[in-house]
Amino acid sequence: MEVSSILQLKKVTKKYPSASIPAVDEVSLTLKQGELLGLLGPSGCGKTTLLRIVAGFEKISQGEVELAGKLICDRYCNTPPEKRNTGMVFQDYALFPHLTVADNIAFGLKGKKSFGRLSSKDIKYRIGEVLNLVGLSGLEKRYPHELSGGQQQRVALARALAPRPALILLDEPLSNLDVQVRHRLREEIRRILKAAGISAIFVTHDREEALAISDQIAVMRDGKLEQVGTPEEIYTKPGSRFVAEFVTQANFLTAKREGELWKTEIGEVDLKSLLATQQEDGLNLIDRAEVMLRQEDIILTPDCNSSVVVKERQFLGREYRYCLETASGKRLHARTNISNAVDVGTNVNLSMIQAKPLIFPFANLNKNKVTI
């Protein structure tokens, strides 16, 4: 059974008069019912602007936005935020400090006409439902200042969920929390949204957060979509060098083609399995490229004859992170388990777990990757 779409963006563009390039540049994507989409990218890439467009806080320069099959935004009309049937969770929670938890949640329910005006009894029942959903039952009489940051974030989520919107929008929902709370809440947010059966878009610059929460990830760069896919697809099959570097934090080694081999300063990669693809894509003309090495795919073996040296070692609890220096002075990073520690200053030979690492054309770092 095909899942229907809840949101469609068609060549959405936002250009500010004072800017030389668009903040959002012809972005098209589809969000399916019940799906969680992470907008991932560095600061200034346009992800928050895109979220504000969907929320109704920004008008677009061109394109269309459809929600639940209805046009809510184009260059001529802009449905107000309060009439879009969306819920918003802000980075700073935006709770009313003078209202209790229950009253904060009730604020969005009073006078709500999407499914009829609610009675006081219905509002109280709905408050109990969402508090139970977010795991805060029994705290309805507390004020925001009496709650932890994680609890305040869950109240903000409960308030957004209470009116049963078609779509929830979250702007950097975990950025104000400490690391331990952030890790716990990203699991809870996914569980809560899935239990509610609601679609959601959340903005983040944290790749681990995006990978943990999302069903789909849209990676943005300079206002454009670089790649859209599942977390597994984005991580294992990055569509550009930017995605590979930003999401996987991979290393890149310059490679030169010699016959049926790509030669790098740490070794050679067989070219035979690439020949058919080369002929199809015209890549047989390329003699320089960049080989991608994920940090976790590098194996370190002490070798006094190697020119690669361990310059730094960080203990991260479950693993070590090494900084390595090649003969040319290039710095590479590797992650290994703690069972075989390698001392700083050790010469090491590098080998790859992957039999077929990814390679990117050197001339244009934004072209699609090729598997070799």
Side-chain angles (χ1 to χ4, degrees), residues 119-171:
S119 66
S120 297
K121 183 179 179 181
D122 291 334
I123 290 175
K124 185 177 181 180
Y125 181 79
R126 182 59 180 158
I127 291 170
E129 276 188 324
V130 292
L131 281 176
N132 182 62
L133 184 64
V134 301
L136 293 178
S137 296
L139 302 184
E140 55 270 16
K141 293 184 179 180
R142 291 194 185 181
Y143 289 87
H145 72 272
E146 298 176 313
L147 303 175
S148 68
Q151 289 173 327
Q152 290 182 44
Q153 184 60 281
R154 281 185 280 171
V155 173
L157 182 56
R159 183 177 62 184
L161 287 168
R164 296 187 176 93
L167 180 66
I168 292 283
L169 306 171
L170 304 99
D171 184 13

Side-chain angles (χ1 to χ4, degrees), residues 196-235:
I198 198 165
S199 306
I201 301 175
F202 69 97
V203 163
T204 182
H205 61 270
D206 187 318
R207 66 185 188 93
E208 289 189 5
E209 186 177 304
L211 292 170
I213 298 176
S214 308
D215 295 314
Q216 295 282 322
I217 295 176
V219 183
M220 293 191 67
R221 180 192 187 192
D222 296 334
K224 295 179 178 290
L225 283 183
E226 281 280 312
Q227 187 176 357
V228 180
T230 65
E232 293 83 0
E233 289 169 345
I234 295 292
Y235 193 86

Side-chain angles (χ1 to χ4, degrees), residues 6-19:
I6 190 67
L7 178 73
Q8 280 197 317
L9 307 182
K10 302 176 182 179
K11 294 189 175 181
V12 170
T13 298
K14 172 66 180 181
K15 191 176 188 301
Y16 294 101
S18 59

Side-chain angles (χ1 to χ4, degrees), residues 16 23-24 39 41-55 57-58 88 91 170-172 202-205 220:
Y16 294 101
V24 175
L39 289 179
S43 297
C45 71
K47 56 188 186 295
T48 296
T49 301
L50 187 60
L51 191 79
R52 289 174 60 82
I53 287 171
V54 176
F57 301 140
E58 297 280 357
M88 188 80 182
Q91 184 175 348
L170 304 99
D171 184 13
E172 300 271 10
F202 69 97
V203 163
T204 182
H205 61 270
M220 293 191 67

Side-chain angles (χ1 to χ4, degrees), residues 63-77:
E64 293 181 355
V65 180
E66 291 183 4
L67 180 63
K70 296 181 180 179
L71 181 67
I72 59 170
C73 180
D74 62 18
R75 62 180 299 184
Y76 304 107
C77 71

Side-chain angles (χ1 to χ4, degrees), residues 36 133-134 154 157 173-174 177 179-195 202 208-214 318:
L36 309 183
L133 184 64
V134 301
R154 281 185 280 171
L157 182 56
L174 306 179
L177 303 171
V179 174
Q180 286 186 333
V181 176
R182 199 158 65 230
H183 286 179
R184 186 177 72 250
L185 264 190
R186 70 190 186 193
E187 296 177 8
E188 292 187 10
I189 284 178
R190 179 174 173 84
R191 175 190 61 79
I192 290 166
L193 293 172
K194 286 297 183 180
F202 69 97
E208 289 189 5
E209 186 177 304
L211 292 170
I213 298 176
S214 308
R318 290 175 295 179

